[in-house]
Amino acid sequence: MADGHDDFEGGDEVDDTGSSRGGRMLMYMFIAPAVCRWILSREKYPKRMRMFAAVAFLVAAGAWLVAEEVMAGGGNYYTVLDAPVAGSVATYRKAYKRMSLLYHPDKVVTNTPEEEAAASAYFLRIRDAYEVVTDPQRKVTYDRFGPEMLKLQDAARSNEDISGVTTRIVVEMAFFYVQYAVMVFVHTLGHAANSPARTWSFGALLALAVCDGMMKFGGADVFGGLFTRSPPFEKINILRSMFPAVVSGLSIYTKLTWVDPVAQYTQMLQQVMHQQNQIMIAMRVLIQNRGGGGGGGG
């Protein structure tokens, strides 16, 4: 019998993408650049060490935000069943029986009404997970788009109209990528016009969009066998969470390592012109001295 109530914490999955995305953008557009600028301004340390420290900060901040987002969701249906995403119906049936033996309210020792309610809620979540992953159509929707879209699809099916679900998916994706495209543009304003930071950042955003589309509409899992208990929608959310860190990292890297060829050529040209001016001045002084010496001798 299961003892205690620690396993029941978390509840239903929470789709809080709006607030979490706003927090990530605040972090990476204002807080992270300020911290990175401070790290990079410590000129008593080697440039490579400063760059490594700034990137390490971005990675740590990104990992913290991703972990916070995953934990806030309360775990997906596959972690609830302790079964892989690519499992068969038989695999899920065995997992459901195993988890039922552990977490059925009649088998869980509870000490308070709150613990009893939590045990009942957790068992209902196990049952909901089993019902979704053993229904091929609902499983596809859940794996690709997440619990919120599954709820919308279920509600739309009851009204025999699911056209609005697809529209909402497309609108949500379009809003996300427009928002992040603006973020990339603003974040790279401080770079030279021909700096590759903006090009690389938009290239990374395009790669994310292609990956997102392939996993949502093409059914492809670009991660293969990695994270076997994470459905595609969760992997995409992790990639989205990490994208601002990628933009900040590219910005730092280009500022420290990229040399503007036009500025470099202009600087070299100015140096050559300065040297030529110095030579002309020296020649003029030499000619004047020779002229003055010749007149005195005559």
Side-chain angles (χ1 to χ4, degrees):
M1 290 191 297
D3 189 9
H5 63 282
D6 291 343
D7 291 325
F8 309 135
E9 295 178 355
D12 293 338
E13 288 176 287
V14 179
D15 186 12
D16 193 21
T17 54
S19 60
S20 62
R21 186 181 307 155
R24 290 194 299 271
M25 292 189 73
L26 176 66
M27 171 71 180
Y28 286 108
M29 288 192 70
F30 300 102
I31 301 175
V35 174
C36 289
R37 278 194 297 269
W38 180 83
I39 293 173
L40 297 173
S41 66
R42 307 295 95 183
E43 296 185 356
K44 64 179 180 179
Y45 299 104
K47 180 188 290 188
R48 186 174 300 228
M49 182 182 295
R50 285 180 280 146
M51 186 170 68
F52 177 80
V55 171
F57 166 76
L58 290 174
V59 171
W64 173 69
L65 289 174
V66 169
E68 185 181 54
E69 180 174 309
V70 172
M71 290 174 66
N76 62 64
Y77 283 160
Y78 300 98
T79 57
V80 168
L81 289 173
D82 192 22
V85 176
S88 63
V89 174
T91 301
Y92 300 137
R93 188 177 295 117
K94 290 179 181 177
Y96 176 66
K97 290 180 179 178
R98 183 177 68 253
M99 301 303 285
S100 296
L101 289 173
L102 288 173
Y103 296 110
H104 193 281
D106 294 338
K107 298 181 180 297
V108 176
V109 177
T110 57
N111 301 316
T112 64
E114 290 78 11
E115 290 182 5
E116 184 177 352
S120 299
Y122 192 77
F123 179 73
L124 287 176
R125 183 158 166 74
I126 293 172
R127 191 179 65 183
D128 289 343
Y130 174 71
E131 290 176 353
V132 168
V133 300
T134 53
D135 183 320
Q137 206 167 18
R138 297 181 75 204
K139 173 177 164 57
V140 168
T141 301
Y142 177 79
D143 287 356
R144 297 184 183 183
F145 305 107
E148 288 302 310
M149 287 303 170
L150 178 64
K151 290 177 185 177
L152 285 175
Q153 189 181 69
D154 288 344
R157 268 208 196 99
S158 64
N159 298 326
E160 298 183 351
D161 181 17
I162 62 172
S163 58
V165 177
T166 303
T167 302
R168 175 161 177 170
I169 292 169
V170 174
V171 169
E172 187 275 334
M173 288 183 65
F175 178 76
F176 171 84
Y177 287 105
V178 168
Q179 187 180 21
Y180 268 47
V182 172
M183 184 202 75
V184 169
F185 180 81
V186 172
H187 197 76
T188 54
L189 279 176
H191 291 262
N194 56 345
S195 169
R198 183 170 294 170
T199 302
W200 291 352
S201 297
F202 275 117
L205 185 62
L206 178 61
L208 177 61
V210 170
C211 181
D212 196 345
M214 288 174 61
M215 295 180 78
K216 277 186 168 65
F217 301 107
D221 188 349
V222 297
F223 293 95
L226 296 175
F227 312 110
T228 57
R229 282 170 172 70
S230 292
F233 84 86
E234 199 168 73
K235 297 176 182 178
I236 282 295
N237 287 343
I238 290 174
L239 286 179
R240 287 182 171 191
S241 299
M242 293 300 295
F243 180 75
V246 172
V247 174
S248 295
L250 289 173
S251 177
I252 292 171
Y253 178 78
T254 52
K255 280 185 177 180
L256 288 178
T257 62
W258 182 75
V259 178
D260 185 352
V262 175
Q264 188 179 35
Y265 176 77
T266 303
Q267 186 178 10
M268 291 175 58
L269 187 61
Q270 289 175 347
Q271 290 177 351
V272 171
M273 292 179 65
H274 178 71
Q275 291 175 355
Q276 287 181 341
N277 288 335
Q278 293 296 319
I279 293 172
M280 293 295 293
I281 292 172
M283 290 181 63
R284 188 177 299 116
V285 170
L286 181 62
I287 292 172
Q288 289 174 352
N289 289 340
R290 284 187 176 180

